[in-house]
Amino acid sequence: MDQNNNNYLPFTLNDINIQQLPIYETLLKENENIKINDLINQLPSKRILIFGSGNFGMALAYHLATLNQQQQEEKNQITIFSRDLNVVNNINENHCNPKYLKQLDLPANIKATNILNKELFQMHDALLFCIPTQFLRNLLQEKIREYVSLNHLLIFANKGMEMGSLALSYDIIKDCLGEEYANNSTFLSGPSFAVEIISHQPTCATISSKDVTRALWAQKVFHHSTFRIYTSDDVIGVEVCGALKNVIAIASGICSGLGFQLNTRAALLTRGLNEITKISHRLGGNPLTSIGLSGVGDLFVTKYNVSGVDKTLDDILKELGSVAEGVETTKAAVQLIKKLDMRCPIIEEVHKILFENKNITQAVKDLLEEEKSVEFTLYHGKLV
């Protein structure tokens, strides 16, 4: 096979698990000298089944449905699975979601269903998951395990850590579907507000996978001049950054509510990123991922304002909206920190505010009076 590929791809066909591709039997046997880009472009990606009809699921559905509207190419066919029959009927009949992004006029190539069966899965090339991490295990194990196959491209856009098990999405997939499915799965992360996606504001995100082929395949599904996708092989780093970012976002919102300005905000976000990086590195992630789109990139957009300092947990959840998944992740993060025998003061203080009724002002005071420390260093191979 021809090993000469585009210069911006740091790998060759030798890095690709060719035999696992759904087009292997036909395409590769007909053209043994195919290049990586030509190979990826032949992978099926027009029929996408999306799990989750919230803000992010709807934004990605809209992006995927309108990808080729300026060209003469065949449009993607998008199906949204929702348990809410009212949402399903409104999408199919009125071309809108009555609960999320209600202002969005959905194109005709977006349909919805509340029924899962073998025929539905056979009709789709890619499965995109946009549901909270806390519900992922049940969906995989109880609803779709009998229908999914390795011919499907699996894309997970949820961010978070499962309570109790402390599992990231990769681990949940491995438990429910097996290691081969987990290794073939892809994970989308990065600074990508739903309202900006549907407005075609230029956005960049990361797709990570242990299988470079699947990462390139998922990149092909989403990539556009206004939605640029970069690939990564650091699943752990991308997932940890995506999950813990929302914990730091809560801290940022509280910080804003107290009236702190740019110096304090920059210090909080930077030290928060330091904690995320150390946890990721301890779990096997690449520290460089933290300075990429799924790390510092996502932290750049944590501009959540929580007004007032006497908020209950319910108040914070209402004001933070989708970031509130960080509340559940905070519980899991503190358990993980204890398990790893680490000190992460910001994450720990957020936990005390949310679940131990600690006074916010006192939490800030305790953070500011932490013992002097190094910013970061590698000590015996550990990032501390």
Side-chain angles (χ1 to χ4, degrees):
M1 293 181 182
D2 184 1
Q3 299 302 312
N4 296 319
N5 294 280
N6 288 10
N7 292 331
Y8 63 85
L9 294 178
F11 32 71
T12 70
L13 283 170
N14 291 330
D15 300 306
I16 290 183
N17 295 325
I18 296 172
Q19 288 77 10
Q20 293 186 3
L21 296 176
I23 58 170
Y24 172 66
E25 293 296 331
T26 56
L27 180 62
L28 287 169
K29 287 186 177 181
E30 294 173 1
N31 186 358
E32 293 185 356
N33 295 317
I34 194 168
K35 295 182 179 181
I36 289 182
N37 279 336
D38 296 330
L39 172 64
I40 297 303
N41 286 335
Q42 294 299 320
L43 291 171
S45 61
K46 292 290 186 183
R47 304 172 303 170
I48 303 156
L49 175 59
I50 300 178
F51 296 87
S53 56
N55 281 334
F56 200 49
M58 294 306 302
L60 291 180
Y62 184 78
H63 166 70
L64 292 168
T66 57
L67 262 181
N68 303 319
Q69 63 181 2
Q70 302 300 325
Q71 290 85 27
Q72 298 300 315
E73 299 177 35
E74 176 190 356
K75 291 183 179 180
N76 290 335
Q77 297 302 312
I78 311 299
T79 305
I80 297 173
F81 170 77
S82 174
R83 294 176 300 174
D84 190 326
L85 185 58
N86 181 45
V87 169
V88 171
N89 288 339
N90 268 277
I91 290 175
N92 290 335
E93 297 170 12
N94 303 319
H95 305 293
C96 71
N97 184 326
K99 291 186 175 181
Y100 299 97
L101 300 181
K102 292 182 283 188
Q103 77 279 19
L104 198 58
D105 185 16
L106 301 176
N109 54 326
I110 295 181
K111 305 294 183 184
T113 184
N114 65 339
I115 298 172
L116 296 177
N117 54 39
K118 182 178 180 180
E119 290 70 30
L120 179 70
F121 281 74
Q122 289 177 337
M123 290 167 51
H124 292 86
D125 308 311
L127 310 180
L128 173 58
F129 298 85
C130 301
I131 65 171
T133 302
Q134 306 306 323
F135 304 136
L136 183 59
R137 186 178 297 272
N138 178 262
L139 176 66
L140 295 180
Q141 199 158 325
E142 304 298 329
K143 303 290 195 304
I144 76 168
R145 185 168 60 174
E146 61 182 303
Y147 304 129
V148 69
S149 81
L150 289 172
N151 283 336
H152 288 118
L153 173 64
L154 306 184
I155 308 168
F156 293 83
N158 54 300
K159 299 175 182 177
M161 189 178 295
E162 188 179 50
M163 278 297 300
S165 71
L166 311 183
L168 296 166
S169 294
Y170 174 89
D171 304 303
I172 298 172
I173 300 162
K174 183 178 177 181
D175 288 346
C176 297
L177 304 178
E179 187 172 10
E180 190 172 14
Y181 278 95
N183 289 341
N184 284 339
S185 294
T186 66
F187 305 87
L188 177 68
S189 191
S192 46
F193 283 148
V195 292
E196 296 187 18
I197 293 173
I198 64 174
S199 300
H200 302 295
Q201 290 289 315
T203 299
C204 293
T206 300
I207 282 281
S208 66
S209 179
K210 289 182 177 291
D211 186 303
V212 64
T213 320
R214 302 282 166 154
L216 292 169
W217 189 359
Q219 181 184 49
K220 178 210 173 190
V221 170
F222 288 105
H223 195 81
H224 184 263
S225 59
T226 60
F227 197 76
R228 295 188 57 82
I229 300 296
Y230 296 85
T231 61
S232 167
D233 61 0
D234 183 21
V235 170
I236 292 174
V238 167
E239 281 217 79
V240 170
C241 286
L244 298 186
K245 164 259 181 178
N246 282 340
V247 180
I248 306 304
I250 293 171
S252 178
I254 293 171
C255 179
S256 174
L258 288 172
F260 289 114
Q261 298 185 27
L262 293 180
N263 285 355
T264 313
R265 182 180 174 82
L268 173 71
L269 294 180
T270 305
R271 295 305 299 166
L273 182 64
N274 179 282
E275 294 183 8
I276 292 172
T277 304
K278 289 190 293 187
I279 293 172
S280 170
H281 183 62
R282 189 70 66 87
L283 292 173
N286 184 343
L288 289 175
T289 296
S290 296
I291 63 171
L293 291 164
S294 59
V296 69
D298 230 347
L299 280 179
F300 274 143
V301 294
T302 55
K303 295 182 178 179
Y304 306 106
N305 296 314
V306 178
S307 56
V309 298
D310 297 319
K311 294 290 184 179
T312 66
L313 176 58
D314 287 341
D315 291 331
I316 292 173
L317 279 168
K318 289 176 183 176
E319 292 203 38
L320 291 178
S322 61
V323 178
E325 187 169 357
V327 173
E328 290 301 315
T329 302
T330 302
K331 295 180 184 178
V334 168
Q335 293 176 35
L336 180 61
I337 289 166
K338 291 178 180 177
K339 182 179 177 181
L340 296 174
D341 193 24
M342 297 177 65
R343 274 283 288 130
C344 295
I346 295 174
I347 294 174
E348 291 170 18
E349 290 298 335
V350 170
H351 184 273
K352 290 174 183 176
I353 291 170
L354 295 179
F355 303 109
E356 299 175 27
N357 296 317
K358 185 169 184 176
N359 178 272
I360 293 176
T361 304
Q362 184 61 48
V364 172
K365 183 174 183 292
D366 290 346
L367 278 174
L368 294 176
E369 294 178 354
E370 279 275 317
E371 286 293 323
K372 298 186 295 294
S373 180
V374 298
E375 184 171 20
F376 52 80
T377 185
L378 277 173
Y379 181 72
H380 293 309
K382 291 183 179 180
L383 190 64
V384 296

